[in-house]
Amino acid sequence: MDNAWLHRFAVMVAVCTFLLVVAGSLVTSNDAALSVPDWPLSYGRLVPPLEGGIRYEFAHRAMALLVAILTITLAVWLERAEPRRWIRRLGWAAAVAVLLQAILGGAAVRLITPKAVTIAHACLAEICFGLVVAIVVGQELRLDSFSWAVETPAPLVAAIALFGQAILGAMVRYGLTGVAFHIIGAAIATILVMWAGLRIPLRRPALALLTLTFSQVFLGLGSYMARVVNLATPQPMPLTIAFTVAHVAVGSLAFGAAIALTMAPPVAHGGVALA
Amino acid sequence: MRKFWIGSGLVSALVAAAFTLASCGGGSTEAPKTADSGAAPAGGPAATPDMDNGGTITGKVTFDGTAPKMAILDTSANPVCAKAHASSPLRSEEVVVNPNGTLKNVFVWVSAGLPADKTWQVPSTPVEIDQNGCEYKPHVIALMAGQNLSIKNSDPTNHNIHPQPSVNQEFNESQAPGTPPIDKTFPRQEIMIPVKCNVHNWMRSYINVVSSPFFAVTGDDGTFSIKGLPPGTYTLEIVHEKYGKQDQQITVGAKESKTADFTVKG
Ligand SMILES: [Cu+2]
């Protein structure tokens, strides 16, 4: 590794981005997105009164600011220290994505959560995380030039399927579609992931992707069942919140693992340290 | 190389599309789906209910069945709210069965039969909704289209008030403790607009906006009374947030009093 600290920094950005996704899903699960009606200030100040739903929304905003700063720093650092142009460009793509994501988040608040904006915000979150994961993996791979997995398109197809599932999941969550498409999608995505797992000689990351995807199916079932059981409750219930947040978290990790596999070279023990 | 710029372009396109969709969605409030008010009256000046010579409909809404247990609300997310209900827990007002077996918080209104060319005087007194003890008081509100709604915060904590209408304008505003009431009007008739607070995700209320003054909400005795109706045949409708709608046809003459009782099955 040419620049160990730069790599460690990228890993930290990836971890923070993941935690930001989790924080975002906590906001939605607690129905707290609109608890702070103004943006970018919160209750007209930098730090609002931290009570009720405001705690989730403000934690999400504060973490978002941190991740935006970290991601831009990463892009600048890569620009100065990373010899491969494609990784430098991934850095800038991540920075642009995270800024767009902040604007979408602000728009969701200011326009009172229009479904299209909220769903786009959920999907762009996956893209932000995916881009940073790609940077981390790229740094580890020491490839001279970028190439999508040459041997088989399986991991790429799996990654696309998992991203599609994230979109469908967000649509289900905001009532734009029934859960049926998401379930059919889950079956398709699982098959594609298994195909990718079989085609890839990298045992560890492939196994990670398989494990994450299978867990994801059960967490999805759990969230759905918790929701059905608690349909009549007058406020979000802890069990539903826990399942839904875990479902979003593991979904992001599975998407990240698929991206890692997509970029992995067709040699055993590429040293992909994801998951 | 090039594909990354294409990727970034796609993301921007997605965002642009999202904004376009959002602004289209936001602009859908132009055409009222139900009768509106506030337009220049075609048939002369705005009318008021004729309390001396008009007809009266009274009645009550009986609850048939075992009263469901009122769910306990978890107010622990905000210590101020928890403290306000330290002695007995706050309960959901989704279904409130009165001690006399009647149903509270039922919205009752004349949904059809009023002369179409008549517009009704909007009362100058506002209707009040109070955020008090981290719940809305009252739970179900009714007012005329164009009438002022005065939103109060009696709590020593912050709320955001977020009604979710479909034909009126949606809004979401925060209200700090000790700040003056927020005044709002809803220009279009709309029944059972859900109202939420996202600071306290258990807070729910419903606002009913009517273009005539002939409506009521049942209280602690489950009765209602609608006075000053011009002679005619009307559809009297009741709406409950959980049990939905029912209606009756009813004819009243001048100075006549009619009874219209309803039974809601639990
Ligand atoms: Cu509140």
Side-chain angles (χ1 to χ4, degrees), chain A residues 33-235:
Chain A
L34 292 171
S35 62
V36 184
D38 52 339
W39 184 91
L41 287 177
S42 306
Y43 282 72
R45 330 185 214 162
L46 285 176
V47 180
L50 297 174
E51 55 203 25
I54 302 172
R55 294 169 304 169
Y56 298 105
E57 172 64 15
F58 185 69
H60 185 49
R61 289 185 185 191
M63 281 180 72
L65 180 65
L66 175 73
V67 168
I69 292 168
L70 289 177
T71 310
I72 293 165
T73 309
L74 178 63
V76 172
W77 194 346
L78 286 170
E79 185 65 38
R80 290 165 158 244
E82 171 58 55
R84 285 160 294 177
R85 198 167 65 159
W86 65 273
I87 294 187
R88 295 201 300 271
R89 287 194 168 166
L90 274 179
W92 288 115
V96 168
V98 87
L99 289 178
L100 282 176
Q101 180 68 341
I103 292 169
L104 272 187
V109 166
R110 296 285 286 265
L111 303 173
I112 318 183
T113 54
K115 281 176 181 168
V117 175
T118 322
I119 291 169
H121 188 60
C123 298
L124 191 51
E126 301 295 315
I127 293 175
C128 288
F129 179 60
L131 285 169
V132 183
V133 167
I135 292 168
V136 169
V137 177
Q139 286 176 322
E140 294 200 1
L141 289 180
R142 298 198 214 174
L143 287 178
D144 291 335
S145 66
F146 180 78
S147 63
W148 296 105
V150 208
E151 298 255 300
T152 165
L156 179 62
V157 172
I160 291 169
L162 288 173
F163 183 64
Q165 275 298 83
I167 298 175
L168 279 175
M171 285 170 74
V172 170
R173 188 161 210 184
Y174 297 105
L176 223 62
T177 171
V179 76
F181 291 114
H182 193 43
I183 293 172
I184 295 167
I188 295 170
T190 308
I191 290 167
L192 291 172
V193 163
M194 285 167 73
W195 176 43
L198 291 174
R199 294 301 302 268
I200 288 292
L202 293 169
R203 286 228 180 88
R204 211 166 46 141
L207 205 66
L209 174 59
L210 281 169
T211 312
L212 287 167
T213 307
F214 287 133
S215 323
Q216 185 61 347
V217 171
F218 287 107
L219 288 173
L221 272 174
S223 332
Y224 182 68
M225 274 154 66
R227 210 155 286 245
V228 169
V229 167
N230 292 322
L231 212 56
T233 56
Q235 65 192 119

Side-chain angles (χ1 to χ4, degrees), chain A residues 34 111-114, chain B residues 29 162-165 167-172 186:
Chain A
L34 292 171
L111 303 173
I112 318 183
T113 54
Chain B
T29 45
H162 173 214
Q164 299 165 282
V167 297
N168 283 286
Q169 184 71 49
E170 188 173 10
F171 67 86
N172 180 36
F186 297 88

Side-chain angles (χ1 to χ4, degrees), chain B residues 78 81 131 134-136 155 157-161 196-203:
Chain B
N78 190 335
C81 308
Q131 296 153 114
C134 301
E135 60 179 326
Y136 293 110
D155 282 329
T157 190
N158 293 274
H159 294 283
N160 74 292
I161 183 150
K196 263 185 173 184
C197 171
N198 304 88
V199 180
H200 313 106
N201 58 22
W202 60 85
M203 288 177 70

